Amino acid sequence: MKKKWLLFSSFLILVLSGCDNPLLIFDPKGPQAKTISDTILFSILMMAGILFVVYVLFTFMLVKYRASKMDESYEPPHEEGSKWLEITWIAIPVIIVVILSVVTVRSTTDVESTPKAYANETPLIIYASSSNWKWHFSYPEEGIETVNYVNIPEDRPIEFRLYSYGPISSFWIPQLAGQKYAMSDMVTKIHLAADTPGSYMGKNSNFSGKDFAHMEFEAQVLTEKDFDEWVKDVKETAPALTEQEFNHLLEPGVLGRKTYKSTHLEFSPAPEGEHAGHQHGGDMEMEMEMDMTHESESDIQGEHHHN
Amino acid sequence: MKVDHSLPLEYSTEENKLKVLGFWIFLGAEIVLFSTLFAVYFTLQHNVGNGPGGSQLFELTPVMIETIVLLSSSFTIGLGIHAMRLGNKKAMMAFFGITLLFGLGFLGVEITEFVTYVHEGATMQTSAFLSALFTLLGTHGAHVTFGLLWGSAILLQVKKRGLTPETANKSFIFSLYWHFLDVVWIFIFSFVYLKGMM
Amino acid sequence: MKWDEFFVTGEPMIYAAMVSIVLVSIAIPAGLTYFKKWGYLWREWLTTVDHKKIGVMYIIAALLMLFRGGVDALLMRAQTAVPNNGLLDGQHYNEIFTTHGIIMILFMAMPFIIGLMNVVIPLQIGARDVAFPRLNAVSFWLFFFGAMLLNISFVIGGSPDAGWSAYFPLASLEFSPTVGNNYYSLALQIAGIGTLMTGINFLVTILKMRAPGMKLMKMPMFTWSILITSVIIVFAFPVLTVALALMMLDRQFGTQFFTMQNGGMDMLWANLFWVWGHPEVYIVILPAFGIYSEIIATFARKNLYGYKSMVYSMVAISLLSFLVWAHHFYTMGHGVMVNSVFSITTMAIAIPTGVKIFNWLFTLRRGKISFTTPMLYALAFIPIFTIGGVTGVMLAMASADYQYHNTMFLVAHFHYVLIPGTVFGVIAGFHYWFPKVFGFKLNERLGKWSFWFIAISFNVTFFPLFILGLNGMTRRMYTYSESTGYGPLNMLSMVGAVGLTIGFILLVYNIYWSTRHEPREVTGDPWDGRSLEWSTHSPVPEYNFAKVPEVDQLDAFWFAKKEGRSLTQEGGYEPIHMPNNNGQPFIMGFLFFFFGFFMVFSWWIPAIVAGLLILGTMAYRTFEQDHGHYISVEEIERTENALRGEKE
């Protein structure tokens, strides 16, 4: 029995996180995603155990007590229930729920704060804001802004600050961290770090209207050196982001990549601190004055500024 | 129709008992409805946007009048039910009539109050706080309005048909409804107005 | 508004729908006239207050809506079967998955369950009707016209397109400028009021109208499930009423509840919606649990194991169902503390649910299981629903949910809960109680064919979605690129959807075939049942029971059968008091339809007129003196002899 069990669980892990083509969730490239991936695998194992018990019992009952196997005259007994059996199948699930609760609370705490290994470093802050149907990334310290792609340095904690210029969206880079909503009246945060350079898929996972399916971006993890070079390059070659240009970007539509050497935070600050919630009211409305039927020039112009 | 004379008229038939219980359950649903509106109001009460807040808007006098009028109407409808139990149709009708007049008075004051708010530039569209305020008060006011129509219809029936198990049952249920509106108002008075004025 | 904005244009599918609507609306009156059935329809159906007929109408409407929602589902699967598919555009796809969700939950699952409870509950508790038969008819017509209102949005004005959960600000006028979401707020409002009235009605019915001797703890489990469901309805639906009203105010009257300026709060909608929405899930699941309990006990020929713990676990589930709503948006960023609390309450639901699963399994133990069609659905429910349940526990873990949220994993999970939970349940109940209502069984052979198609295809359709979700595929995407690698599993899912379609076609064909060929069932007790509904004739006479049965234990009918005694006292019949038919509920529903329609388009004056007319029907009702009628002893004797005569 025990052997079978081991075999089964290793099979499961193999299937889910197999080497040549692993499922995205089980192929983490950073500590946060790793924590969640481990949590999920653990829960799958536990749940497989429950399924196993139910399926064995189910099969047993169906095989043993089918009418076709029974004597014509067999009359099933009257059974009220059994106190001990019922206590058993309350107690065991209670224990399972307690275990899972502990795991949940601990893993949630972990992924909601700066990754442990980087706890002493100051995170790189990136504002990620959504508008229909694109992502704007502002680097306040570097003073640069990108649209629909984000470059981050490896082995450095990153703090994404999320908000939206329209419907609620959900910021998600599956291989780096779990998702979180971006909303118009408050800023939410994602803490993550990446430990392998490479290009990862990022997207909005929360339905936000017509071209929601195209609301993807590339998250590229660069070495520290490459990242610094990229920032320098942007500062030298990219245009500045004017308010007019930004309002143009906000119009609904699908865009390619864009890169700017200044951010929109100066003239359109994020809804945090004194700009949070209702106080932000007035200007937001003006920005949102958009003509929905106007399909906007879905100018898919690629402006590749990175390496 | 089996009539059990040992019970008050409004409970005297099987159907009447069912209706009273059904109405209590309906009031349970109404409590949830108003609780939700209160929850919405409390969530949004500080979201005044560019509009006025409660302390700038609320005035004690009209609200006190509304409260006194509505509380009195709850008392008079209680007297009406008492008269009904004694079989005194005239007194019952008189008390119900007074109740409805009080209700009308309440509604009048509330409408003037709304008009004042709007004149001060505080409309339902101004801010989330005002949307929630008008919706909460308006829902209560709409209930009172419906109560006036319903109560008048019952009064007409009592006048025409006298105190039968059927009309007594309707009057009793209506009194439950009216008391309920009073209870809701007490919450509005305490948690919207008094708290808002502080 | 111009005509081309009023009618939806530009899509061949829409024109086809318009043509078929016109044809159907010509064909129905024409057919009624030709066969001279107008009077029959009005007298026997449109004005009926008989709970059995109302139940049948609910189920017919639910089957029609199942067709509509099923076509939506097929279109969605077809669109996503291959990468970069051009069958539907984004907007159209959005409308389709939105209506699919609304229709399947509110206009298919709910009415199917309400239909079954209408048919069964009074019979099961030994009552002659529900507490408020007239209100029951009002409930039905409000539901019916609410459903019609939502459905015409497909051709007039445009369907809602912000998802069935209609999150703001996406559902606001700014981002969803068509009248689609006006239909949402009004159609659901009208149907929802009907549902609330149903909840009150059945609560009173079950509390007050049980047969003598039927204590609460001697009620059949289905009755228990409906009692608890009714309580949930009464406490959950007013929240929906408020949410929808605020939505209407925001969209049509310029208020600021969920807007992005002047203090509006978009997540307030999500909270209100799920405070209703999560209990709603249990409103559609608990009755199915009740149905399974009846069916499993009947076909294992054994009393339900752990009756008391079954009841307590349902009570526990109903309480917990109000304490878990925030698990629908762990990702909103409300911190570790809040997320942890909601994780734990959510996982806690697994405990009473597990108790139920084990009690069903142990009902089977030492039983004598016969595999009839209803039993097959009930048995298939256990393993499939358990998958839905354990994935629910996985989703309940907040940290893990950050990776599942909004993905196909979630979609797979709730279909694994709702299809074996609710859909298998209502189909099982449909097969089980069909002979009670119509006097003949559905064909077992066809029934089993359709069962296997449905059960296997279900897994083929939805299991791949778990894997797609874990691979990062989000829900509600109308298209995806080939490089994602999502193609093959989506294609597999499409294959399953076709299989499901075949299964449902077989099910409908079975109704047709059995109506023509199945032998009449004359015993009234075709399955050797345990509860009171099997103690009267099939089809059930208008008054249900010529004499009200008296019970002293659970499964009283079963024991009476075994001991060869009768549940009714000796002595002759007495006249039976029954309510009169009336057209007012139908007219009221009809007026609500127009009221809703005019409101959708903000045509205030017609809307006010319709509103006043509705008040008029209420005034008519309060002044009306209708004391019902008595069925005479002679007539009861005649009916009973005729029904008994068939037996001989």
Side-chain angles (χ1 to χ4, degrees), chain C residues 303-317:
Chain C
N303 66 317
L304 194 62
Y305 197 86
Y307 176 89
K308 277 187 190 161
S309 60
M310 287 299 235
V311 172
Y312 297 144
S313 52
M314 278 200 290
V315 173
I317 291 172

Side-chain angles (χ1 to χ4, degrees), chain A residues 16 22-26 33 36 39-40 43-44 47 50-51 53-55 57-58 61-62 65-68 70-82 85-86 89-90 93-94 97 100-101 103-105 107-109 111-112 132 165-168 170 172 174 177-181 183-186 188 201 203-214 278 281 284-285 288 290 292, chain C residues 90-91 94 97 161-163 167-170 174-175 177 260-267 300-307 309 328-329 331-333 336 339-340 343-344 347-348 351 355 357-359 361-362 364-371 379 382-384 386-387 390 393-394 397-407 467 469-479 486 558-559 562:
Chain A
L16 294 172
L23 296 176
L24 227 46
I25 303 301
F26 299 115
I36 303 183
T39 308
I40 293 176
S43 70
I44 289 181
M47 294 302 121
I50 294 173
L51 278 180
V53 172
V54 171
Y55 283 16
L57 277 174
F58 180 73
M61 303 298 177
L62 288 199
Y65 300 110
R66 47 202 312 145
S68 52
M70 297 276 169
D71 198 53
E72 257 316 278
S73 61
Y74 173 71
E75 264 304 307
H78 184 85
E79 290 183 313
E80 287 295 342
S82 148
L85 275 174
E86 287 176 46
W89 60 59
I90 292 173
V94 167
V97 166
L100 290 177
S101 300
V103 172
T104 304
V105 174
S107 57
T108 310
T109 314
V111 299
E112 288 281 7
N132 273 353
Y165 284 96
I168 298 168
S170 191
W172 192 31
Q179 62 194 288
K180 193 155 279 180
Y181 282 176
M183 293 162 285
S184 67
D185 53 356
M186 63 193 267
T188 49
M201 182 264 286
K203 59 162 78 171
N204 164 23
S205 76
N206 198 55
F207 175 57
S208 62
K210 187 170 142 288
D211 279 317
F212 151 74
H214 302 297
H278 51 277
M284 282 284 282
E285 188 174 23
M288 299 316 301
M290 329 192 262
M292 288 297 299
Chain C
Q91 177 61 24
N94 298 345
F97 72 66
D161 58 359
Y167 272 20
F168 275 79
L170 184 62
E174 188 177 346
F175 294 104
M260 299 199 300
Q261 60 274 326
N262 299 319
M265 213 187 242
D266 44 13
M267 286 309 286
R301 296 181 64 81
K302 210 164 146 271
N303 66 317
L304 194 62
Y305 197 86
Y307 176 89
S309 60
H328 293 272
F329 39 85
T331 52
M332 181 195 156
V336 178
N339 277 356
S340 300
S343 285
I344 294 167
M347 284 191 268
I351 299 166
V355 168
I357 296 277
F358 286 112
N359 275 326
L361 286 173
F362 275 74
L364 297 172
R365 189 181 64 156
R366 297 189 194 140
K368 196 176 180 184
I369 306 167
S370 45
F371 294 88
L379 291 175
I382 293 175
I384 304 180
T386 309
I387 296 179
V390 296
V393 173
M394 290 165 67
M397 302 171 72
S399 54
D401 182 66
Y402 296 165
Q403 294 285 37
Y404 305 131
H405 187 65
N406 276 329
T407 67
I467 299 163
L470 293 175
N471 207 9
M473 183 175 179
T474 44
R475 67 197 290 209
R476 296 172 169 176
M477 280 165 68
Y478 80 97
T479 191
Y486 300 153
W558 170 263
F559 289 104
K562 276 172 101 177

Side-chain angles (χ1 to χ4, degrees), chain C residues 211-327:
Chain C
M214 190 185 275
K215 303 259 167 54
L216 281 176
M217 276 310 201
K218 289 172 184 166
M219 296 196 304
M221 196 49 65
F222 181 62
T223 305
W224 255 115
S225 72
I226 297 301
L227 178 66
I228 293 166
T229 303
S230 302
V231 174
I232 306 181
I233 288 178
V234 169
F235 284 103
F237 265 76
V239 182
L240 179 71
T241 305
V242 171
L244 292 172
L246 303 190
M247 179 183 196
M248 182 190 76
L249 289 172
D250 253 21
R251 286 183 55 88
Q252 297 184 269
F253 296 89
T255 56
Q256 310 280 350
F257 291 104
F258 314 121
T259 53
M260 299 199 300
Q261 60 274 326
N262 299 319
M265 213 187 242
D266 44 13
M267 286 309 286
L268 179 61
W269 165 267
N271 275 282
L272 291 175
F273 182 84
W274 288 114
V275 167
W276 161 77
H278 202 86
E280 166 69 11
V281 175
Y282 292 93
I283 293 172
V284 296
I285 290 263
L286 289 181
F289 285 178
I291 294 169
Y292 293 133
S293 300
E294 300 292 318
I295 289 174
I296 289 176
T298 302
F299 296 108
R301 296 181 64 81
K302 210 164 146 271
N303 66 317
L304 194 62
Y305 197 86
Y307 176 89
K308 277 187 190 161
S309 60
M310 287 299 235
V311 172
Y312 297 144
S313 52
M314 278 200 290
V315 173
I317 291 172
S318 71
L319 292 176
L320 285 170
S321 75
F322 283 93
L323 302 173
V324 298
W325 79 92
H327 72 211

